[in-house]
Amino acid sequence: MLPEVLRVVEDDELYVPKIGEYARHKYALLYGYARIFSTSMKATWRNRVYVDLFSAAGKGRIKQTGELVRTSALVALGVPDPFTKYIFCEQDSRLMEALRIRVETEHPKRDCALLLGDANELVDKILDELPRYGPDEGLLCFCFADPSRMSDLRFSTIAALASRKVDFLTLIPTGMEFNRFNRDYFESSSSVVEDFCGVPEWRSQFKDAEKAGVSPERFLVELFDSQMRTLGYEHGGADDAVAIRLPEKNLILYHLAFYSRHALARSFFKEAVKYSLPQQELF
């Protein structure tokens, strides 16, 4: 049975952006992992923090059907065993105001920090918002990085947050952007892919991968994956990345890649994938 937080909701007359039908799979996967994470870790970690780098308005309207559904921020707030703190970042003031009202209305008792601005410029504020803790009360975080465009997220932001104990679920815009629509990224004047993956020499690596028959989608996921491993993330990544597709054309839009430093978290993610619908092939 579909969890209540993932079901269609009534219009609250606040601002909502339009989203694609395929986003439902993304939010089901997010909910699945957040639920397992928050419930399994509550007895071990006193401080459990959810960080959303691109929170939007908390609800979205499905373009194809007109239905209203909760998006990442309200989905994460709706887990049975809530995180001890939530940190939401959003650059658009209109989206942030709608989210603020929804959070106050639906979850007035939750400890939430709403940060207005570019997530890449808010890293220090995010770190400052993390609870202080001592040797007997640790801190564990789960960060959802869901950029609308590759240029919205810099790898330096991920690296800064990774200085703490953080699991990441990251949208890698493989098909919808890297493979099809923005070949200008391959021009030497563009730094978008370099900034996203943190690899200045990616173009030469891409040429080698192309000669070896590696698809552009797999190349980008594996490039990002290689950088995450330099930060100590040994579990998840390219082997577990989930392809989100445009159903009517079966085209890959993007991949959701999970990263953790702990094997147990990878098993949590596999469980979340198992119960998120529809099931998808990786590439």
Side-chain angles (χ1 to χ4, degrees), residues 247-267:
E248 56 267 31
K249 296 184 179 180
N250 197 34
L251 293 174
I252 292 176
L253 294 172
Y254 52 82
H255 282 78
L256 292 172
F258 172 78
Y259 295 95
S260 179
R261 295 183 174 110
H262 304 283
L264 180 61
R266 185 187 186 193
S267 69

Side-chain angles (χ1 to χ4, degrees), residues 9-277:
V9 296
E10 296 294 327
D11 195 339
D12 57 10
E13 299 185 356
L14 297 172
Y15 179 74
V16 287
K18 292 183 179 180
I19 60 176
E21 175 73 29
Y22 50 82
R24 288 185 169 184
H25 184 197
K26 172 174 63 177
Y27 297 128
L29 186 57
L30 170 65
Y31 174 80
Y33 183 76
R35 178 185 60 79
I36 298 170
F37 178 103
S38 59
T39 296
S40 301
M41 297 292 104
K42 67 177 183 178
T44 309
W45 297 86
R46 178 175 177 179
N47 300 291
R48 302 173 311 282
V49 180
Y50 172 82
V51 179
D52 197 324
L53 297 182
F54 305 94
S55 298
K59 293 182 181 179
R61 191 173 302 281
I62 304 295
K63 297 175 186 177
Q64 293 83 351
T65 65
E67 294 173 318
L68 195 66
V69 297
R70 294 180 178 90
T71 57
S72 59
L74 292 184
V75 167
L77 280 162
V79 296
D81 296 298
F83 291 77
T84 56
K85 183 163 186 174
Y86 293 82
I87 301 174
F88 301 122
C89 304
E90 175 52 51
Q91 189 168 14
D92 187 319
S93 60
R94 181 173 51 171
L95 297 176
M96 178 59 85
E97 179 60 15
L99 176 62
R100 181 189 65 77
I101 296 172
R102 289 178 173 129
V103 168
E104 292 176 353
T105 301
E106 296 191 22
H107 301 279
K109 295 182 180 181
R110 297 284 185 267
D111 183 0
C112 299
L114 281 73
L115 305 180
L116 178 63
D118 182 338
N120 300 288
E121 306 299 331
L122 291 172
V123 172
D124 289 342
K125 289 185 178 180
I126 295 171
L127 294 174
D128 286 344
E129 285 288 346
L130 296 179
R132 300 293 181 256
Y133 61 95
D136 297 325
E137 47 178 25
L139 170 66
L140 189 62
C141 304
F142 171 44
C143 177
F144 184 45
D146 179 29
S148 297
R149 301 176 301 275
M150 192 180 296
S151 59
D152 290 339
L153 179 64
R154 298 196 290 264
F155 191 79
S156 57
T157 299
I158 298 294
L161 295 175
S163 64
R164 305 296 180 90
K165 289 183 172 65
V166 182
D167 290 349
F168 290 93
L169 182 59
T170 303
L171 185 152
I172 301 178
T174 47
M176 68 179 182
E177 188 166 357
F178 182 70
N179 187 24
R180 294 201 300 277
F181 300 133
N182 281 292
R183 304 305 288 180
D184 56 330
Y185 289 174
F186 288 77
E187 299 296 329
S188 59
S189 59
S190 174
S191 65
V192 172
V193 179
E194 176 183 342
D195 290 342
F196 182 80
C197 291
V199 182
E201 65 278 10
W202 71 270
R203 292 178 182 83
S204 61
Q205 293 184 23
F206 178 79
K207 289 179 181 178
D208 292 340
E210 197 171 35
K211 289 178 182 177
V214 177
S215 69
E217 293 89 353
R218 180 174 287 277
F219 168 78
L220 187 61
V221 172
E222 291 183 346
L223 182 67
F224 191 88
D225 184 64
S226 68
Q227 286 297 92
M228 292 299 291
R229 294 185 187 282
T230 68
L231 300 177
Y233 286 86
E234 300 178 358
H235 304 284
D239 291 338
D240 296 331
V242 176
I244 304 297
R245 299 173 183 269
L246 188 64
E248 56 267 31
K249 296 184 179 180
N250 197 34
L251 293 174
I252 292 176
L253 294 172
Y254 52 82
H255 282 78
L256 292 172
F258 172 78
Y259 295 95
S260 179
R261 295 183 174 110
H262 304 283
L264 180 61
R266 185 187 186 193
S267 69
F268 290 167
F269 184 70
K270 284 181 173 291
E271 190 73 8
V273 172
K274 181 179 178 181
Y275 289 103
S276 68
L277 297 175

